[in-house]
Amino acid sequence: MDIKELKKAKESYGLTLREISEASGVPMSTVLKVFSGNNKNPRKDTLLKLSGGVAHLMEEKSADIDNMDIYLGRRRAEEDKIIRSGKQGQFRIDDLDGMPDGIRYEICDGKLIKAESPSTVHQLLVAEIYLQIRNHINKNKGKCIAYIAPVEVQFDEEGKNVFEPDIFVVCDGEFRPGRVYGAPDLIIEIISPASKKYDMQTKLSKYAEYNVREYWIVDPYKEKVVVHELEKGDISLYPFDVKIPVGIYEGKLKIDFKAMPEYIRSFYGRNI
């Protein structure tokens, strides 16, 4: 490999200079000079050692990628087998303890539902909304507690309805190890194309059934928020360019989407 090929391999495989130095036996100071451009004509034996070390690291990285693909394939097959099993409709909260690591699940009427992985912008939006709620609670020395996912909320004693809302506020709930028991006072979900029907229909129905006081559905694509004040039976639609009052606080708290950082607002309406 020449220097250009070495640099390309380093970037493509995410190699560090320390790894290259250790794999090739070339001193770190020499590696730094070669890859920084300070030494544009290294000795032939140095270049051969670097090439051999980088080739070895590329082989190791490729094996790691292959092993990861096999692992992910097996895990997807395991997930599919669990969800399609004859137990659908009979799952309970204790079953979640035996699920594959790193995967979020919810249970709705005993049916196991895999929660999609949130995007980075989704999480930034969640964090900004949560921050405004938390700051209001702290400023007013409120007794309510605000949470963000992943925190399990067990809605019924049998444990056949267990959800992980994006954001929720509990003012008078029961706290058990690892989860919250009983309906939160406020729930906010950030929807995506994949979760839209689930959030707007299935979850709305279940949250109403279990007496959640207020449910927000935030749509970053259309830049709107649907607010269901379930205890009053009221529905309101708001655009992102107004401050939206939180019903459980009688409007004393308003979520300001315009106040969110520009780097988040610049993604509204995009494929996030």
Side-chain angles (χ1 to χ4, degrees):
M1 295 184 193
D2 58 23
I3 294 177
K4 184 177 180 180
E5 290 171 331
L6 287 171
K7 290 181 177 179
K8 184 177 180 180
K10 175 183 177 297
E11 295 301 320
S12 298
Y13 285 82
L15 307 178
T16 67
L17 295 180
R18 177 66 63 187
E19 287 177 325
I20 294 172
S21 175
E22 292 176 353
S24 64
V26 176
M28 186 65 177
S29 58
T30 303
V31 174
L32 283 169
K33 290 178 182 178
V34 171
F35 281 88
S36 67
N38 289 332
N39 185 352
K40 297 181 180 180
N41 295 295
R43 291 166 47 184
K44 186 176 180 179
D45 63 326
T46 298
L47 198 57
L48 285 173
K49 287 180 180 179
L50 289 172
S51 297
V54 168
H56 176 69
L57 290 170
M58 289 168 63
E59 185 177 349
E60 284 189 339
K61 295 286 184 178
S62 295
D64 289 342
I65 292 172
D66 290 340
N67 290 334
M68 180 57 70
D69 286 342
I70 293 171
Y71 167 73
L72 291 175
R74 288 175 177 171
R75 192 169 73 173
R76 282 192 291 268
E78 184 179 359
E79 294 166 10
D80 188 64
K81 181 179 179 181
I82 292 170
I83 291 176
R84 295 179 183 275
S85 71
K87 193 174 180 180
Q88 278 290 44
Q90 302 174 35
F91 281 98
R92 298 293 183 268
I93 193 165
D94 290 342
D95 294 311
L96 294 178
D97 294 334
M99 294 296 106
D101 292 337
I103 305 297
R104 293 171 52 204
Y105 293 95
E106 296 182 324
I107 301 175
C108 181
D109 289 333
K111 295 180 180 179
L112 191 67
I113 298 171
K114 180 183 174 184
E116 64 172 3
S117 298
S119 68
T120 53
V121 176
H122 173 284
Q123 291 302 85
L124 288 170
L125 189 56
V126 166
E128 290 295 329
I129 296 172
Y130 167 81
L131 185 61
Q132 292 189 41
I133 295 173
R134 191 201 65 180
N135 286 345
H136 176 81
I137 293 173
N138 290 347
K139 180 180 178 181
N140 293 278
K141 297 181 172 53
K143 295 181 179 180
C144 302
I145 303 176
Y147 293 89
I148 55 176
V151 176
E152 293 173 354
V153 181
Q154 181 178 341
F155 281 74
D156 61 337
E157 189 63 45
E158 292 179 312
K160 65 179 182 178
N161 285 286
V162 183
F163 299 100
E164 291 187 358
D166 289 327
I167 308 165
F168 63 98
V169 176
V170 178
C171 297
D172 186 22
E174 182 181 341
F175 303 93
R176 301 182 181 182
R179 64 180 60 97
V180 174
Y181 175 74
D185 293 81
L186 169 67
I187 291 179
I188 300 176
E189 299 280 11
I190 316 297
I191 68 171
S192 67
S195 71
K196 186 173 183 178
K197 183 176 180 180
Y198 182 49
D199 289 331
M200 296 186 73
Q201 297 181 19
T202 304
K203 283 190 173 181
L204 172 60
S205 175
K206 300 311 294 183
Y207 293 162
E209 178 183 343
Y210 286 100
N211 298 317
V212 172
R213 295 171 60 194
E214 186 172 357
Y215 176 38
W216 287 29
I217 302 172
V218 179
D219 187 339
Y221 303 89
K222 295 184 178 179
E223 301 183 32
K224 68 178 184 180
V225 180
V226 181
V227 175
H228 294 269
E229 292 191 74
L230 297 174
E231 67 177 350
K232 296 180 180 179
D234 293 339
I235 303 175
S236 302
L237 177 65
Y238 296 95
F240 273 17
D241 60 358
V242 300
K243 294 182 180 180
I244 304 175
V246 179
I248 67 168
Y249 289 113
E250 299 179 347
K252 295 177 182 178
L253 166 63
K254 294 181 174 67
I255 303 299
D256 188 355
F257 285 84
K258 290 181 68 176
M260 295 181 186
E262 180 62 32
Y263 68 88
I264 297 178
R265 288 189 283 120
S266 66
F267 283 92
Y268 291 164
R270 298 186 190 180
N271 184 15
I272 61 174

